[in-house]
Each structure stands twice: as structure tokens, then as C-alpha cells.
């Protein structure tokens, strides 16, 4: 049985999609298991740049099967937009994209409430406004509507009527917004059902049977470790478990099926939205990283906050996910810096901490070590040996500090700018 999980180790946007695309070549099935269209997974092929919000990035490999499993919150309009975008480019998904009957739907009222709550709040989270929080809240409240409900129209009507009774009170009375008519949502949902009917399956069973048939599975995490609803920098987090537990509950796979957990790690750190960020650089380095690294949200276009590599944050990801290796991305962005800082410890009130606190991260001070930078452009390197010695030193430093092997290094957006280390 072979199953690999790929997880972001920072606050998202670590370059996961590119790595998933890389690992997809040796997988039979690629699974998105949590989050929703808040994610923006960018893959650059020879021909084109694709941004996927829901469909696993592995769909571009025409011999692969892709699954959106039960842990995902699914925006019907977004899914259809992605299917249509792929069809235009001759990428057919029929017969190789499956959607869990237990995945919850993101409906127009979830998006309206997400935006309204942000607008009304004096302490904003900075959500993507894609309806993620309200949809997961409905799941927990047991008032959500699932993909499988689409197959029973009478039941669907009943669920929708019930949900809208409450949602419209919120929309109208709390936020002064227009109520949403059940007929409008129902019409959209029935149209959606007609297009995806053949894709709806019990993905837990499908994945389990696939494992038994020795098919290899790649689990595609969205967002990053520090945005986890339980282990992240609450309340500045997303509403799902982005850590390894989410891969299990979000698929129903047995825990020991996962043989490798690869932490996708950017060579510096970024964060989009509000919340603590100990190594953020508010000066010219932060600006340089943003511009050179193209650090603008692929879902919202928002500028990302940028800063130095943080070993404590990474160590936290190592512990919470049981990382077996890391894939280091965007190393090329650091070229040209005379000195590169790396946070190696945290201090609070002058005392060293031996863990990464997620609730008072705003009060800690990072302790830095400074490494020599390199001036060479490394974006055309396609082997470890081609790297300048100081870039190699940077990789070694991170690997030694975390006591983790670096399995892959990426030095540019294209598929070919990637090389294996192990
Ligand atoms: P939500 O997931 O839209 O509710 O947003 C909650 C927080 O997670 C906000 O700070 C978002 O900017 C952040 N977030 C959500 N998805 C992503 C992502 O894919 N990459 C980076 N940050 C994200």
C-alpha cells in the first residue's frame, strides 16, 4: 500500500501545487481532502499557467484519477468553472474525476455571510470570502447540505428550506442584506447535479479499495500547517484541519496507510490575511521578496506579507505532521541577498522557548542566525551540483537544524526547474 501526503508547512502558498504536480507522475490517484476554493494551486506547464481552486492539480496528467473527498467544502460554481476551463484546453475529466457524496457544499449564503461577517468585524481575520468558515460551521451544526443530497430532490428541497429559514434571518436582521430565495439556489444546484451526477461516489470506499489494489495515492493538502483550526494561530486560521489529521478525517483512509509526509516549505515565509508572523520583514527585504517571488494571492490577488525562514515554525510542522522530508521551494528568490537571516529560536520576555506557541505568537521575539547569501541566478539549475556553494549551505543548514532530509529543491515556477535530492 502506498500513500503519500503533501502538506504546506507555513501559512499556505508554499508552492504545493507545483510539488504535487511533480509527485503526481508516480501516483495513480490524487486527492484534495480539506479546504475549498480558498486555495489557489498554480501549475505552470510548457504551454500554460493553471490555477486550481478545487480540482486536484494532478488532473493535468491525463492518465491520473483525481478525487475531491469528504473533507472538502465544495463550491459548485467554482467546480464547474474549472471543469469548463480544462475542457477548453482539451483536458477531459469525465471518468477520472470523482467527488465525495459526503463533501459539504458552499452555497451563496455561505459566501454572503463570510463577507458580511468580515465587513462587520472590528478585528478581521482577512478570509478569502469564499464561504469556507460558514460552510464548515454548518457541517458542525449539522445544517449543511452535502453533495449526495443532490441525488434526492425532495430531501434537498427540505434541507435547503430549513437552512434558508435561519440563514435569511441572519442575512436580513443581523447584516441588513437581501434574503436568498430557495428557488434560486435549488435551480443552480439541480443544474450542477445534472453535470456532475456521474462523478458522485463514496470516495472513502473508492480510496480504500484502490489501496487494496495497490494503486498509489497522493494526498494534496491545501493551505498550511499554521492555518490549522486546532493547531494554528487561532483565530487567524482557516476552518479545517490543514495538518495530517485532516488527511485522515478528510478521506477516511486508515492512518498507517500514509507512508510519507512531505512538508512543502518555501525558502522564506509568507502570510496572507491577518495574524501573527514573527519573522515578517516590513522593510525593503519584505518588499523585495514580494516582488521577486510574485507574492500576490492566487485566489484574492492580495499582496502577501513576507519574511525570513523560521525554523521554529518548521519544527512545529515537523512535530504535528510527522514529516518524513521537506521539499524546499522558491530558493531562487533569495539570490542576490548579501546576508540571509534564519530564525533559529523564539524568546519570550528574554527566555528561550522550546516550542512554537500558537496563541501568543505575537509576543515572541525570533532569534536569528545570519548566513552568507549568493549572487548567482540559480533559476536554470537542474541539479544540486549546479548550485553555488552558499545555496547548498543554506539547504544544509535548514536540513540539519530540522533534522529532516530535503527531498526536492525547486528554483523556478516551471516543471523543469525542480530537482530531487534523495
Ligand atoms: P478562509 O480560509 O477563507 O476562511 O481564510 C482564513 C485565513 O486563511 C485567512 O487569513 C486567509 O488569508 C488564509 N487562507 C485561506 N486559504 C489560504 C491559502 O490557500 N493560502 C494562504 N492563506 C490562505
Amino acid at each position: 500500500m502506498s500513500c503519500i501526503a503533501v502538506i504546506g508547512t507555513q501559512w499556505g502558498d508554499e508552492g504545493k501545487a507545483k510539488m504535487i504536480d511533480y509527485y503526481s507522475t508516480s501516483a495513480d490517484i490524487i486527492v484534495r481532502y480539506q479546504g475549498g476554493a480558498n486555495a489557489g494551486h498554480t501549475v505552470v506547464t510548457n504551454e500554460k499557467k493553471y490555477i486550481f481552486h478545487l480540482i486536484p492539480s494532478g488532473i493535468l496528467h491525463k492518465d491520473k484519477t483525481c478525487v475531491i473527498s469528504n473533507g472538502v467544502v465544495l463550491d459548485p460554481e467554482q467546480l464547474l468553472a474549472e471543469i469548463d476551463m480544462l475542457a477548453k484546453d482539451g483536458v477531459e475529466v469525465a471518468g477520472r474525476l470523482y467527488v465525495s457524496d459526503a463533501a459539504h457544499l458552499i452555497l451563496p449564503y455561505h459566501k454572503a455571510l463570510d463577507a458580511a461577517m468580515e465587513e462587520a468585524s472590528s478585528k478581521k481575520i482577512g478570509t478569502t470570502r469564499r464561504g469556507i468558515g460558514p460552510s464548515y460551521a454548518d457541517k458542525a451544526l449539522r445544517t449543511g447540505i452535502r453533495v449526495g443530497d443532490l441525488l434526492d430532490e425532495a430531501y434537498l428541497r427540505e434541507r435547503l428550506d430549513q437552512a434558508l429559514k435561519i440563514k435569511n434571518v441572519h442575512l436580513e436582521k443581523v447584516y441588513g442584506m437581501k434574503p436568498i430565495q430557495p428557488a434560486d439556489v435549488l435551480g443552480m444546484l439541480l443544474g450542477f447535479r445534472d453535470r456532475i451526477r456521474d462523478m458522485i461516489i463514496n470516495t472513502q470506499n473508492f480510496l480504500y479499495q484502490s489501496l487494496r489494489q495497490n494503486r498509489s495515492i497522493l494526498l494534496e493538502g491545501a493551505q498550511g500547517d499554521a492555518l490549522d483550526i486546532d493547531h494554528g494561530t487561532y483565530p487567524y486560521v482557516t476552518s479545517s484541519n490543514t495538518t495530517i489529521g485532516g488527511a485522515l478525517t478528510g478521506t477516511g483512509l486508515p492512518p498507517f496507510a500514509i507512508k510519507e509526509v512531505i512538508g512543502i516549505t518555501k525558502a522564506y515565509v509568507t502570510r496572507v490575511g491577518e495574524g501573527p508572523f514573527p519573522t515578517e520583514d516590513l522593510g525593503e527585504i519584505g518588499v523585495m521578496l514580494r516582488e521577486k517571488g510574485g507574492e500576490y494571492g492566487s485566489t484574492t490577488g492580495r499582496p502577501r506579507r513576507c519574511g525570513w525562514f523560521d525554523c521554529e515554525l518548521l519544527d512545529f510542522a515537523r512535530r504535528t505532521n510527522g514529516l518524513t522530508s521537506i521539499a524546499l521551494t522558491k530558493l531562487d528568490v533569495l539570490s542576490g541577498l548579501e546576508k540571509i537571516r534564519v530564525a533559529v529560536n523564539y524568546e519570550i520576555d528574554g527566555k528561550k522557548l522550546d516550542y512554537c506557541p500558537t496563541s501568543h505568537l505575537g509576543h515572541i521575539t525570533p532569534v536569528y542566525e545570519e548566513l552568507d547569501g549568493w549572487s548567482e541566478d540559480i533559476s536554470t539549475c537542474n541539479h544540486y551540483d549546479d548550485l553555488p556553494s552558499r545555496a547548498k549551505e543554506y539547504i544544509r543548514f535548514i536540513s540539519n537544524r530540522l533534522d529532516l532530509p530535503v527531498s526536492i529543491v525547486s528554483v523556478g515556477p516551471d516543471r523543469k526547474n525542480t530537482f530531487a535530492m534523495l
Side-chain angles (χ1 to χ4, degrees):
M1 293 210 283
S2 146
C3 184
I4 296 180
V6 170
I7 283 184
T9 59
Q10 293 150 334
W11 279 287
D13 310 316
E14 298 92 352
K16 288 180 292 298
K18 186 188 156 179
M19 288 299 124
I20 287 152
D21 182 57
Y22 180 89
Y23 285 110
S24 293
T25 50
S26 45
D28 298 310
I29 301 168
I30 301 102
V31 187
R32 252 303 293 276
Y33 58 81
Q34 48 72 227
N38 47 351
H41 290 177
T42 308
V43 182
V44 183
T45 67
N46 291 340
E47 301 84 35
K48 204 174 157 169
K49 173 172 158 180
Y50 289 90
I51 301 178
F52 296 106
H53 300 281
L54 281 171
I55 297 183
S57 347
I59 199 77
L60 295 175
H61 298 274
K62 294 186 181 172
D63 55 336
K64 309 292 172 186
T65 298
C66 289
V67 170
I68 298 176
S69 64
N70 60 280
V72 170
V73 279
L74 190 91
D75 178 340
E77 287 157 331
Q78 180 62 41
L79 181 63
L80 293 183
E82 287 181 26
I83 292 174
D84 290 343
M85 167 189 82
L86 287 165
K88 256 195 208 151
D89 288 348
V91 183
E92 267 311 321
V93 301
R96 59 190 200 93
L97 175 64
Y98 295 107
V99 178
S100 166
D101 57 356
H104 279 248
L105 291 167
I106 294 194
L107 297 176
Y109 48 84
H110 294 125
K111 290 190 249 186
L113 286 168
D114 195 0
M117 283 161 72
E118 279 284 279
E119 289 300 327
S121 170
S122 56
K123 261 197 166 294
K124 297 187 195 319
I125 305 292
T127 74
T128 57
R129 303 187 179 208
R130 297 293 182 109
I132 307 299
S135 176
Y136 277 120
D138 271 357
K139 177 176 180 173
L141 285 168
R142 288 140 297 171
T143 50
I145 295 179
R146 309 201 299 177
V147 171
D149 300 343
L150 298 174
L151 302 175
D152 179 343
E153 199 175 319
Y155 182 69
L156 176 66
R157 272 176 202 277
E158 198 185 301
R159 296 287 293 171
L160 191 59
D161 282 347
Q162 250 174 24
L164 274 173
K165 240 182 234 163
I166 303 162
K167 299 301 166 191
N168 278 336
V169 173
H170 275 192
L171 287 173
E172 274 188 288
K173 301 271 188 295
V174 182
Y175 299 112
M177 296 172 81
K178 269 186 28 198
I180 291 175
Q181 298 311 320
D184 292 343
V185 183
L186 190 70
M188 180 273 286
L189 285 179
L190 294 179
F192 175 62
R193 176 203 62 191
D194 292 344
R195 289 203 52 197
I196 68 144
R197 190 191 288 272
D198 294 342
M199 298 178 194
I200 304 173
I201 61 165
N202 178 322
T203 55
Q204 188 280 329
N205 184 47
F206 174 76
L207 293 173
Y208 185 72
Q209 299 304 341
S210 300
L211 272 186
R212 283 168 55 99
Q213 291 155 17
N214 273 327
R215 301 182 78 196
S216 55
I217 297 179
L218 182 66
L219 299 172
E220 169 175 352
Q223 291 84 47
D225 173 85
L227 285 171
D228 184 277
I229 181 100
D230 284 284
H231 303 290
T233 48
Y234 193 89
Y236 302 102
V237 292
T238 190
S239 301
S240 64
N241 283 115
T242 56
T243 50
I244 192 69
L248 299 174
T249 55
T251 57
L253 283 167
F256 296 114
I258 302 178
K259 302 295 178 212
E260 273 184 69
V261 185
I262 300 163
I264 311 301
T265 304
K266 194 146 58 180
Y268 50 96
V269 181
T270 61
R271 177 163 203 172
V272 62
E274 305 304 317
F277 179 177
T279 62
E280 181 171 15
D281 188 293
L282 296 168
E284 56 186 41
I285 296 288
V287 174
M288 181 288 270
L289 292 172
R290 182 177 313 124
E291 296 313 316
K292 201 165 166 202
E295 297 295 353
Y296 290 87
S298 44
T299 298
T300 58
R302 290 179 292 176
R304 296 179 186 141
R305 300 154 64 194
C306 299
W308 298 110
F309 194 87
D310 185 340
C311 291
E312 280 297 337
L313 193 67
L314 239 293
D315 194 48
F316 175 65
R318 181 182 65 77
R319 297 179 194 193
T320 43
N321 299 295
L323 299 181
T324 51
S325 71
I326 57 176
L328 194 66
T329 64
K330 289 192 148 182
L331 186 64
D332 54 306
V333 175
L334 297 181
S335 291
L337 285 171
E338 206 174 309
K339 295 282 177 193
I340 302 177
R341 298 173 90 190
V342 178
V344 290
N345 278 123
Y346 287 162
E347 279 182 355
I348 196 157
D349 300 329
K351 281 199 202 113
K352 197 172 137 188
L353 290 181
D354 63 355
Y355 70 104
C356 175
T358 49
S359 43
H360 298 289
L361 208 50
H363 304 292
I364 62 110
T365 313
V367 179
Y368 288 103
E369 274 194 31
E370 218 169 54
L371 276 70
D372 289 328
W374 57 93
S375 55
E376 297 88 336
D377 173 12
I378 59 170
S379 61
T380 52
C381 295
N382 47 27
H383 197 276
Y384 178 71
D385 293 339
D386 300 340
L387 291 175
S389 58
R390 287 172 176 173
K392 287 181 185 158
E393 180 49 35
Y394 188 68
I395 298 171
R396 259 198 307 272
F397 183 87
I398 289 172
S399 174
N400 290 342
R401 196 81 210 179
L402 295 162
D403 198 16
L404 268 179
V406 174
S407 48
I408 303 276
V409 174
S410 158
V411 292
D414 210 275
R415 276 178 177 170
K416 63 179 186 295
N417 307 129
T418 317
F419 46 87
M421 303 273 293
L422 295 178

